[in-house]
Amino acid sequence: GLALGLWRRQAALAAAREDEEEKELRQRFMAPPVSGLRELRRRRRELRSRMELLIMETQAEVCRALADLDPGASFAVDSWERKEGGGGISCVLQDGEVFEKAGVNVSVVSGLLSEEAARQMRSRGKSLKAKDGKLPFCAMGVSSVIHPKNPHVPTMHFNYRYFEIEEADGTKQWWFGGGTDLTPTYLNEEDAVHFHKTLKEACDKHDLKLYPKFKKWCDDYFYIKHRGERRGIGGIFFDDMDSPSKEEVFQFVKSCAKAVVPCYIPIVKKHCHDSFTPEEKLWQQLRRGRYVEFNLVYDRGTKFGLLTPGSRIESILMSLPLTARWEYMHNPPESSKEAEILEVLRNPKDWVH
């Protein structure tokens, strides 16, 4: 009887501890996780669960940091389900004092890869062996685009994701991808250096070769070929990362996700009350047009989302600004502030050496 009483007491304590943990997680996140807290706890040692917790935490961290800067505005939190498997949480703030549009999305989806999406992956050198033409997959990530109102505050984008595919013989292929990049309307060298240095520190903790490699990859990836210019002043970008080991890559991705708030928020604080002219606002709208061109013509994430059955269009196109402008044959005067940023977009700079 004594042993049974002791066991009951321990079980009650464990249940109370679990409830407490669950309450704490609920308060920490913007919404309950897609996989459910119980399921995440049950599989907490598995990398998939740890990645889902990381993207949930990143979403909440970034949303809270942005909301602190724009107290009059609030995030609409939208949880959605995908009938093919999984779902997501979209947090979007619109028409604030500081941010015209800021979105931070989490998605955790699973199911069968569409033929089109599999083709896109094979074109990147993935040998995917389907079983009866079917490829089960699981993908999760956090993705954000922040468009401020003030032309002196840059737009920022980040995305960190994990992908897993099960091949015909049961073997699993996995990889991580992601990055963080900055798109200023006007060039501020001090901000560019701060942004790149913060990302470099996050990379250097793991391997000194990563920052230069991923900085170049970012400059090459965000290239608007038909304009001959980059979308912004870069940052880091990587994809298909599956070595040295799952744990090491996860820890690297975690460092990058934790660098998002410190690399960007100080820049917003510094400039959100700067005065600006109607001409500067107009230039911001024209640069936003370029942002839209890149996202709709070249961005792989947008294309993949549009090709995935049951994907949520509103969440995929959240990256587009509320307002943008396309003027016929607009060329800024030589040696103007506008020409200065164009020069850097055409010829990327090394900001940290």
Side-chain angles (χ1 to χ4, degrees), residues 37 126 183 347:
L37 286 168
K126 299 247 171 248
T183 305
N347 303 293

Side-chain angles (χ1 to χ4, degrees), residues 8 15 46 82 96 139 154 184 197 233 261 308 317 320 326 335 345:
R8 279 198 180 125
E46 284 180 32
R82 176 175 171 270
K197 260 198 172 144
I233 59 158
V261 168
T308 303
L317 298 182
L320 302 180
W326 287 266
S335 71
L345 299 177

Side-chain angles (χ1 to χ4, degrees), residues 119-143:
R119 200 176 305 130
Q120 192 189 325
M121 285 178 182
R122 287 192 182 104
S123 74
R124 301 207 317 264
K126 299 247 171 248
S127 61
L128 303 172
K129 295 180 281 295
K131 187 179 186 176
D132 311 324
K134 292 186 173 66
L135 276 167
F137 83 98
C138 147
M140 61 180 70
V142 57
S143 154

Side-chain angles (χ1 to χ4, degrees), residues 182 184 186-197 233 267 270-271 337 340-341 344 349-352:
L182 197 68
Y186 287 97
L187 185 63
N188 179 305
E189 299 232 351
E190 209 179 85
D191 297 345
V193 170
H194 164 79
F195 185 79
H196 277 268
K197 260 198 172 144
I233 59 158
I267 299 174
K270 185 173 149 190
H271 297 290
K337 292 292 249 177
E340 179 190 33
I341 184 90
V344 174
K349 269 179 77 161
D350 177 354
W351 298 102
V352 292

Side-chain angles (χ1 to χ4, degrees), residues 249-279:
V249 186
F250 173 70
Q251 291 302 335
F252 165 68
V253 167
K254 191 173 181 174
S255 295
C256 293
K258 294 284 172 215
V260 169
V261 168
C263 77
Y264 181 61
I265 295 298
I267 299 174
V268 183
K269 277 186 177 154
K270 185 173 149 190
H271 297 290
C272 63
H273 300 301
D274 287 6
S275 59
F276 58 88
T277 65
E279 291 72 29

Side-chain angles (χ1 to χ4, degrees), residues 174 206-207 210 241-250 252:
W174 59 269
H206 301 269
D207 184 341
L210 296 177
M241 194 173 177
D242 56 5
S243 67
S245 71
K246 212 182 228 187
E247 184 57 36
E248 284 168 286
V249 186
F250 173 70
F252 165 68

Side-chain angles (χ1 to χ4, degrees), residues 72-145:
S74 60
F75 277 93
V77 179
D78 204 2
S79 295
W80 50 274
E81 276 180 33
R82 176 175 171 270
K83 67 174 193 302
E84 293 81 356
I89 300 147
S90 297
C91 297
V92 181
L93 178 159
Q94 283 184 154
D95 266 332
E97 286 295 307
V98 175
F99 302 108
E100 181 184 283
K101 188 179 185 189
V104 192
N105 287 352
V106 154
S107 67
V108 179
V109 298
S110 55
L112 298 172
L113 211 56
S114 72
E115 196 40 60
E116 192 78 31
R119 200 176 305 130
Q120 192 189 325
M121 285 178 182
R122 287 192 182 104
S123 74
R124 301 207 317 264
K126 299 247 171 248
S127 61
L128 303 172
K129 295 180 281 295
K131 187 179 186 176
D132 311 324
K134 292 186 173 66
L135 276 167
F137 83 98
C138 147
M140 61 180 70
V142 57
S143 154
S144 171
V145 177

